[in-house]
Amino acid sequence: MRFVSSLLPFILLFISFASNAQAILYHNFNGYTLTGEPGNAAVLKQFDAMLVVDGKVAAVGPLSAISKNLKQQPDSKVDLQGKTVLPGIIDAHGHMLGLGENLMQVDLRTAVSEEDAVTRVQEFATTEAGPWVIGRGWNQENWQNREFPTALSLDEFIVERPVWLTRVDGHAGWANSKALELAGITADTVSPEGGEIIRDANGQPTGVLIDNAMALVESKIPAKNADYYRRALVTAFDHLVSEGITGVHDAGVDATNLAVYRQLAEEGKMPVRVYAMLSASEPTLPDLLAAGPIHTADDSLTVASVKIYTDGALGSRGAALIEPYSDAPNTRGLLVTQPDTIEQLFNLIIPHGFQINIHAIGDRANRIALDKFAHAYETIGGRNLRHRIEHAQVVHPDDIPRFKELNIIASMQPTHATSDKNMAEDRIGKERMQGAYAWQTFLEQGTIVAAGSDFPVELSNPFFGVHAAVTRQDRDNQPQGGWYAHEAMTREQALRAFTLDAAYASGQEQQLGSLEPGKWADFIVLDQDPFDVASDKLWRADVLATYVAGEAVFTQE
């Protein structure tokens, strides 16, 4: 059910501001913002004018009402020509460095076969110098044979340079023989705990490494310096603002990445607000926690959480399941971090007042995460820190109510469902689908769902996510009627999950996430009205302009 307020200003008192303040009146647009207490029904408010003073919203409502209440004239007026205005999108789970790198490396996302992928790698290698050929995005589930690739196919064209190609989900990698040689991987190499070296019938490594085994190759890639980090992050910023994204929860940053963020924030060069999750594997994590949370005055950078991995991904059969995989009865997936280590991390992190954001895709991983939260609450506390489970992708039906009981936010990515629909049921069977990608079930019990994309695993365009959330269909509108359509979100739920509820998931709902007085004026201008357009067209929304703190950080040519 849609709740739309009448066209009334959010404040009715006379509006005044200091003479030296920068005031801008935006008008002639069709504006929406989602409000309401998190965990309750989303309330849609509509308006056609907005006063921004020193980067923050001072008033929204009908132009006539705002103009009548103004005690002085703004510095300027901006006519948005009848377009649609929404709050800036907050992606609650992305990987900024990975996105920047992906934009700078060979992209295999649209490769239709192993041969096609190899051709793209070969073409990239002829134009890009460097000791290694690096890429990302391959997905064997989109290939006709649905089989993992091999080093041999890469060896046909690239012999002297090592090649390393990360799978689309980031939980598997594909190497050529030169990379395997540099990593010292042979038939005698033992798979590390939490990882697997895929082997052929003769026990020889095929070239594909799963989860923790990836480090065998990645440790040999030349170290990235701060300049590289900076270039990748700036590349990601430019891309994201063009898609209407004004905030990102960066899911796992190391000390070098954090230092670059801090420098960019000090220089005022962060057009995207970043809520950075410290990586649990960062060697200096105890020192970073002891230094306390980071909150810049302009809210461009916030650091108050830690990202922990429990398991891998479903596509590479690394997600940890309670029962064996339906299409691979000899495995139940992988635990990337062992339960005892997870508990030690909880005991380290929570006393410092940091939020825990724990990656859990399989039902076993989700149960372990929930168990560890329950144990922590009983022993050291921390219930009020708005902890999150990232992905919450396949959850045993018995465990779904525990999210509400334990005050856990479900940080979920709608396009995962439409990307996984061709293999998820194969992996876990129809019965376990009852608790898979269960957005509406979580929402109905009052669990807060913060939406993201998990870029560069998925494309970062947030309207692809809104479309997937509402239709449970891919962008070819398949399957008809939607995939397990009873778990679809309403438009209000989907857009609030990408705005206000994402802000709540980072403890920033008082500053971000909706266009209300006192909050930062982060907003986007669209060519279409997402509350009026046909649902199958939601993904086609075109961002005409993106504003952060009332200033344009992107305008379409």
Side-chain angles (χ1 to χ4, degrees):
M1 182 176 180
R2 182 171 301 165
F3 300 90
V4 184
S5 75
S6 59
L7 281 169
L8 290 175
F10 288 2
I11 57 176
L12 298 173
L13 302 174
F14 285 111
I15 304 164
S16 62
F17 43 88
S19 59
N20 62 344
Q22 180 68 29
I24 305 172
L25 180 61
Y26 296 91
H27 64 99
N28 187 22
F29 60 80
N30 179 31
Y32 297 99
T33 195
L34 277 302
T35 63
E37 286 297 315
N40 294 328
V43 177
L44 182 66
K45 293 192 175 183
Q46 193 171 356
F47 51 98
D48 63 12
M50 175 170 60
L51 179 68
V52 176
V53 178
D54 287 344
K56 292 189 175 182
V57 177
V60 296
L63 178 61
S64 59
I66 292 179
S67 299
K68 179 181 177 180
N69 284 280
L70 277 173
K71 296 184 69 175
Q72 62 206 88
Q73 290 302 306
D75 297 280
S76 61
K77 297 180 181 180
V78 178
D79 186 338
L80 293 179
Q81 302 179 342
K83 302 301 182 182
T84 293
V85 166
L86 293 179
I89 300 296
I90 301 172
D91 190 310
H93 185 111
H95 302 274
M96 295 287 282
L97 182 65
L99 175 62
E101 289 181 313
N102 198 223
L103 293 167
M104 293 167 9
Q105 298 168 352
V106 57
D107 186 0
L108 303 176
R109 185 184 303 276
T110 58
V112 297
S113 65
E114 181 175 358
E115 294 75 18
D116 182 25
V118 170
T119 298
R120 297 178 189 219
V121 173
Q122 180 191 14
E123 292 173 351
F124 180 85
T126 61
T127 60
E128 292 291 331
W132 284 67
V133 180
I134 305 291
R136 180 168 179 159
W138 61 271
N139 183 359
Q140 84 284 357
E141 292 298 328
N142 292 336
W143 302 344
Q144 187 172 3
N145 62 12
R146 299 178 71 176
E147 294 179 357
F148 278 137
T150 68
L152 296 177
S153 59
L154 292 169
D155 294 343
E156 288 186 43
F157 301 99
I158 306 175
V159 177
E160 297 302 323
R161 291 170 72 187
V163 179
W164 180 242
L165 310 167
T166 308
R167 191 179 185 274
V168 65
D169 58 12
H171 288 272
W174 171 20
N176 69 346
S177 292
K178 184 65 175 179
L180 294 176
E181 176 190 334
L182 290 174
I185 297 174
T186 68
D188 298 325
T189 305
V190 177
S191 293
E193 185 176 64
E196 183 180 0
I197 300 169
I198 302 296
R199 305 174 192 274
D200 62 20
N202 298 317
Q204 295 296 324
T206 65
V208 171
L209 309 176
I210 308 294
D211 286 317
N212 287 357
M214 297 166 66
L216 300 174
V217 166
E218 290 176 340
S219 63
K220 303 302 178 183
I221 298 174
K224 303 161 186 171
N225 59 25
D227 288 341
Y228 176 90
Y229 276 70
R230 186 184 180 99
R231 184 160 62 97
L233 293 174
V234 169
T235 300
F237 288 154
D238 291 344
H239 180 78
L240 293 171
V241 294
S242 74
E243 295 183 328
I245 295 173
T246 60
V248 169
H249 301 176
D250 195 347
V253 303
D254 61 19
T256 303
N257 197 342
L258 177 60
V260 174
Y261 271 143
R262 298 188 75 166
Q263 182 180 16
L264 288 167
E266 289 172 7
E267 296 171 2
K269 294 182 178 178
M270 289 186 63
V272 175
R273 301 186 192 279
V274 173
Y275 181 73
M277 310 176 197
L278 300 173
S279 174
S281 60
E282 165 56 44
T284 65
L285 178 63
D287 295 332
L288 294 174
L289 293 172
I294 298 169
H295 300 280
T296 61
D298 63 356
D299 291 313
S300 63
L301 177 64
T302 302
V303 184
S305 64
V306 179
K307 167 75 177 299
I308 302 173
Y309 278 97
T310 301
D311 62 346
L314 199 63
S316 52
R317 297 189 184 86
L321 302 180
I322 296 170
E323 300 296 335
Y325 277 80
S326 298
D327 60 355
N330 61 331
T331 183
R332 294 193 300 154
L334 300 166
L335 288 177
V336 176
T337 308
Q338 296 302 308
D340 287 349
T341 303
I342 292 174
E343 187 169 323
Q344 291 169 12
L345 285 167
F346 275 42
N347 290 336
L348 169 66
I349 296 163
I350 289 176
H352 288 287
F354 278 65
Q355 175 192 56
I356 290 174
N357 303 329
I358 186 165
H359 165 117
I361 289 183
D363 54 9
R364 183 183 176 205
N366 275 278
R367 180 166 290 176
I368 288 171
L370 292 165
D371 287 347
K372 295 305 177 186
F373 280 123
H375 179 70
Y377 294 170
E378 293 173 358
T379 55
I380 58 175
R383 179 183 286 270
N384 64 329
L385 294 174
R386 299 188 187 179
H387 300 298
R388 298 159 45 165
I389 290 183
E390 304 298 315
H391 310 305
Q393 204 161 305
V394 181
V395 183
H396 192 286
D398 292 347
D399 289 326
I400 290 178
R402 299 178 68 198
F403 278 73
K404 179 66 175 174
E405 294 164 5
L406 295 170
N407 198 31
I408 302 299
I409 294 168
S411 174
M412 306 176 84
Q413 299 75 44
T415 49
H416 278 340
T418 50
S419 294
D420 292 356
K421 61 183 172 53
N422 66 330
M423 63 82 180
E425 197 169 313
D426 292 341
R427 293 284 191 272
I428 63 176
K430 195 170 185 66
E431 184 177 348
R432 281 184 283 192
M433 287 300 301
Q434 182 182 348
Y437 314 89
W439 315 323
Q440 193 58 240
T441 298
F442 280 112
L443 289 167
E444 287 175 357
Q445 72 176 15
T447 292
I448 293 159
V449 174
S453 65
D454 199 12
F455 64 73
V457 175
E458 303 282 354
L459 294 171
S460 54
N461 189 318
F463 293 98
F464 293 178
V466 171
H467 170 265
V470 172
T471 67
R472 302 280 289 202
Q473 294 176 321
D474 60 27
R475 293 184 297 281
D476 292 323
N477 300 313
Q478 296 297 319
Q480 290 188 5
W483 186 65
Y484 291 89
H486 64 283
E487 291 290 0
M489 296 186 197
T490 66
R491 298 185 196 214
E492 290 82 3
Q493 288 171 336
L495 282 163
R496 198 174 82 168
F498 273 105
T499 54
L500 185 59
D501 289 345
Y504 179 89
S506 62
Q508 297 174 296
E509 75 278 9
Q510 299 301 319
Q511 296 82 34
L512 309 172
S514 61
L515 296 173
E516 299 178 84
K519 294 190 178 186
W520 290 108
D522 298 350
F523 63 97
I524 59 177
V525 182
L526 300 180
D527 68 333
Q528 70 178 31
D529 182 343
F531 294 102
D532 187 52
V533 71
S535 60
D536 63 348
K537 301 294 195 301
L538 282 167
W539 66 273
R540 296 181 181 273
D542 195 14
V543 176
L544 305 177
T546 301
Y547 292 79
V548 173
E551 294 187 8
V553 294
F554 167 78
T555 53
Q556 193 175 105
E557 293 293 337

